[in-house]
């Protein structure tokens, strides 16, 4: 199973949470607090920005995270893109 990690850039995490998970940061934190309290998981580790997330995922293939699309080019093979958010209209 994949180990989730979090990009701690405020605008990046808020966009991801609201668009993909339909949660705000408080709801996301509450979810992980319950999982941790009940012994069913630990909160994802936070990395300070896209390059740290990419570097971690590149060297730890069992992790999953999110970055700004501008940080990954089409020919960047360090990580695999599994979903790209549509551009805002």
């Amino acid at each position: 199973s994949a180990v989730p990690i979090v990009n701690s850039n405020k605008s990046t995490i808020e966009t991801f949470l609201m668009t993909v998970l339909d949660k705000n940061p408080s709801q996301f934190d509450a979810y992980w607090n319950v999982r941790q309290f009940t012994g069913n998981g630990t909160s994802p580790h936070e990395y300070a920005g896209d390059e740290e997330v990419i570097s971690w995922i590149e060297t730890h293939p069992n992790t999953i995270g999110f970055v700004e699309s501008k940080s990954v080019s089409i020919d960047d093979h360090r990580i695999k893109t599994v979903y790209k958010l549509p551009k805002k209209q």
Side-chain angles (χ1 to χ4, degrees), residues 3-5 8-9 17-18 20 33 37 39 41 44 46 49-50 57-58 61 68 71 75-76 84 88:
V3 176
I5 62 173
S8 63
N9 177 289
L17 292 176
M18 294 302 292
V20 176
N33 287 338
F37 180 75
E46 289 191 14
D50 293 347
I57 292 172
E58 181 181 21
E68 293 281 340
S71 297
D75 56 346
D76 189 343
K84 186 174 179 179
K88 293 181 182 178

Side-chain angles (χ1 to χ4, degrees), residues 5-53:
I5 62 173
V6 174
N7 188 329
S8 63
N9 177 289
K10 185 176 179 176
S11 68
T12 303
I13 192 169
E14 286 178 357
T15 299
F16 174 80
L17 292 176
M18 294 302 292
T19 306
V20 176
L21 302 179
D22 196 28
K23 303 285 182 210
N24 64 42
S26 295
Q27 292 170 314
F28 181 75
D29 291 341
Y31 169 82
W32 284 105
N33 287 338
V34 168
R35 291 199 45 98
Q36 193 165 345
F37 180 75
T38 60
N40 293 316
T42 58
S43 298
H45 187 77
E46 289 191 14
Y47 291 86
D50 293 347
E51 279 307 312
E52 279 194 26
V53 170

